[in-house]
Amino acid sequence: MTDSTPTPLPASVADLTLEEKASLTSGASFWYTKPVDRAGIPPIMVTDGPHGLRKQREGGDHLGLGDSVPATCFPPAVGLGSSWDTELVTRVGEALGVETAIENVGVLLGPGINIKRSPLCGRNFEYLSEDPLVSGVLGAALVRGIQSKGVGTSLKHFAANNQENDRMRSSSDVDERPLREIYLRGFQRVVEDAQPWTVMCSYNRINGVYASEDPWLLTQVLREEWGFEGLVVSDWGAVNERVPSIAAGMDLEMPSSGGRTDAEIVAAVKDGSLDEGVVDVAAGRVLDLVRKTQATAGTIAGPLDVDAHHALAREAAGRAIVLLKNEGGILPLDRTASVAVIGAFAENPRYQGAGSSMISPTRLDKALDEIAAYAGAENTAYAQGFTISPRDTADAAELRAAAVELAAAQDVAVVFLGLPAAAESEGYDREHIDLPSEQLTLLDAVLEVNPRTVVVLSNGSVVALPFADRVPAIVEGWLLGQAGGGATADVLFGEVNPSGKLTETIPLRLADTPAYLSFGALDGHVRYGEGLFVGYRWYDARELEVAYPFGHGLSYTTFAYGDATASVGADGDVEVRVTITNTGAVAGREVVQVYTSLPSSDVQRPVRELKAFASVALEAGESREVVMAVRRQDLAYWNVRAQAWTVEGGDYVVDVAASSRDLRARATVSVEGDAQTTPLSRESSLAEVIAHPVAGPIVQQALAQMGGGLLDGASSVMPEGVDMMQMMGSFPIGRVGMIAGDGFPPEAIDQLLAAANAPQH
């Protein structure tokens, strides 16, 4: 009789040989880590997410061509993010954790929180927002939910992975401030708030260095600055050179290399080019992950409650829908009205994107069936209207004519438009943001015979809406997962009051977008030329009109905002209070947003930036005080000279808003700045030196003694009114002798800098 009790894992890597330790740092197969049978170390399974469990039955392939076990397909991030609701997102995460645990999978590969730099990114449907705060807060909620069930997550794709074309080689060339403030900030929030078990490094290079080989990214920033305690795993095939990557802090290479890179690690240790301690650390992190998964294995047993999880998917999908426009109260639909349902997506739903995140759903709702359940089969008529499959050879004119005839005969037309599956996928980017011309032609024809037309969109990233001024109602349905058809009907008929809001701006045209001139690799490099001005930050700074702004979303009720107050608490955070009232006739939910700005700032800043938000449910007529906290660290900018986060002191304007351009209440709060941390050098400007509390008075006194007003123009031949300080302010202090002569010899400058940089008591 054989004892089936697993051998306890070793207390440390000291029990393992060099070869065994190296073997732990790469996969055994596509989805499994390597075991070490001698030491009782089992393999663990990791598998794709992020909006459902994609556990393949046999073999494996990263892009999801193989068959997968059925699992609940929740709304992808493009939809779920539009809920702005951490409680809902956490519950979805918990459900994902349960399904992952039932299938004995140790780590679900997600969430993805990369910034939507451009609507052209083919994988935007897997990402939450154009804003790092939304991405970080909701990403942390997902991680907490999933990991509460004893399975791990893999925060991805770290970092600056904002396009698909040439993603395995191209370099994302980003200046320090936008890299820190936009592209890394969401990752930092999730790591510090939720400690994902793993972080997945991306394929691309960052400023010329592969993410998998970057010690600054994987060790200095991720571990030393943010305190990450888990394991770094590569994206599948993201390792360029294994020895430099393990030295940089990339612990686990996936998938299997057939032992080749394990041998490279062993050889590097033996020839002295790699410290064995580096291998010990990486192997130890793999062992820690195995321990975590083993500690909870088998604690959640099946079978899966398919009905309950489908109901949650429907709730989440309903909360993801964004009502963009509703003129004349055409929505919600009258349940006694006759409805013409037009568009192939009503019968063949587009509910997720293509690639490694494709889920095999447990069931799939169709909007056509769900609309008929509300309106009655006798009041529901359907016309395909257009084709979405290349294999569909139906005549476009005939389909359009049939749809128009149907629309003319019904009280209201609900037209389902969207992007075909081939338009959005992992691995390649979109070329434009336009809906297919065939669909736009159909909509024009329907509007001619029935102005009571509602458009329902199915898309994984924003699309241009040239019809926005001619259609009375537009419902942004995103990709809603397996229950999206039912959720869409719930919203159309008022069973669910829409509360979703945009987490990405809908532009009028592609040429208006921030990365329009710099999206896509040129000679292997992608220049992030828009800097800090991503998404709404760009449109506000340029004062550009948009189709619908970031944060926008309507309801079947209305909300009034009271006066706002803002105060600094003992912990340095800013507490914002505002009373919200549901002034309509039905219960609803409002996403309250807080934006801040600093008009007196000495550094370049966006017009305003999102710093807090809350999702608030209110009954008709109900009022509630909403309290939101703006973290002090979220007010900080990345000080390049000091190489540190710095809170600039001053009077901050706090806008409480229904969208980034619908500002409802304003308060001002005085925030004390951080102490001067930037050391002075010979390259520091004269203005910076004069602003320094120690060096400034010394320099001003010296200059006053030289020439009787060198900087105020009193002895100058310059025209009246010319500001000499402004003219000379950018002059490096190390070269001031050129204008000050013997009054500022090099040794005096060095003494001045030493005094300024000395510790102050």
Side-chain angles (χ1 to χ4, degrees), residues 78 116-126 162-166 350 353-354 417-436 439-440 457-466 476 478-479 504-510 513 515-516 518-521:
V78 62
K116 300 184 182 188
R117 177 180 176 239
S118 167
L120 295 181
C121 177
R123 210 170 181 178
N124 272 355
F125 57 83
E126 281 193 45
N162 310 104
Q163 68 177 54
E164 290 298 289
N165 286 341
D166 205 21
R350 171 114 194 280
L417 306 179
L419 296 176
E424 299 174 296
S425 173
E426 177 180 355
Y428 58 87
D429 294 318
R430 298 163 65 191
E431 296 180 356
H432 55 75
I433 61 171
D434 300 326
L435 288 166
Q439 296 183 27
L440 297 176
L457 297 169
S458 296
N459 47 293
S461 187
V462 297
V463 293
L465 305 174
E476 177 53 90
W478 304 122
L479 306 180
E504 53 189 307
T505 307
I506 302 180
L508 289 172
R509 55 185 193 144
L510 180 62
T513 59
Y516 177 64
S518 56
F519 183 78

Side-chain angles (χ1 to χ4, degrees), residues 199-222:
V199 167
M200 182 188 294
C201 76
S202 55
Y203 291 115
N204 54 289
R205 293 176 290 154
I206 301 170
N207 293 322
V209 181
Y210 278 103
S212 62
E213 297 177 5
D214 193 343
W216 173 83
L217 181 73
L218 302 183
T219 297
Q220 179 181 324
V221 172
L222 179 60

Side-chain angles (χ1 to χ4, degrees), residues 52 54 111 127 203 228-229 252 265 284 311 321 376 424 475 661 738:
R54 191 177 76 89
Y127 302 141
Y203 291 115
F228 177 60
E229 299 169 355
L252 175 61
I265 291 171
I321 291 171
E424 299 174 296
V475 175
R661 292 193 172 181
M738 188 182 87

Side-chain angles (χ1 to χ4, degrees), residues 447-464:
L447 285 169
E448 288 183 6
V449 300
N450 192 338
R452 289 180 55 78
T453 294
V454 178
V455 169
V456 179
L457 297 169
S458 296
N459 47 293
S461 187
V462 297
V463 293

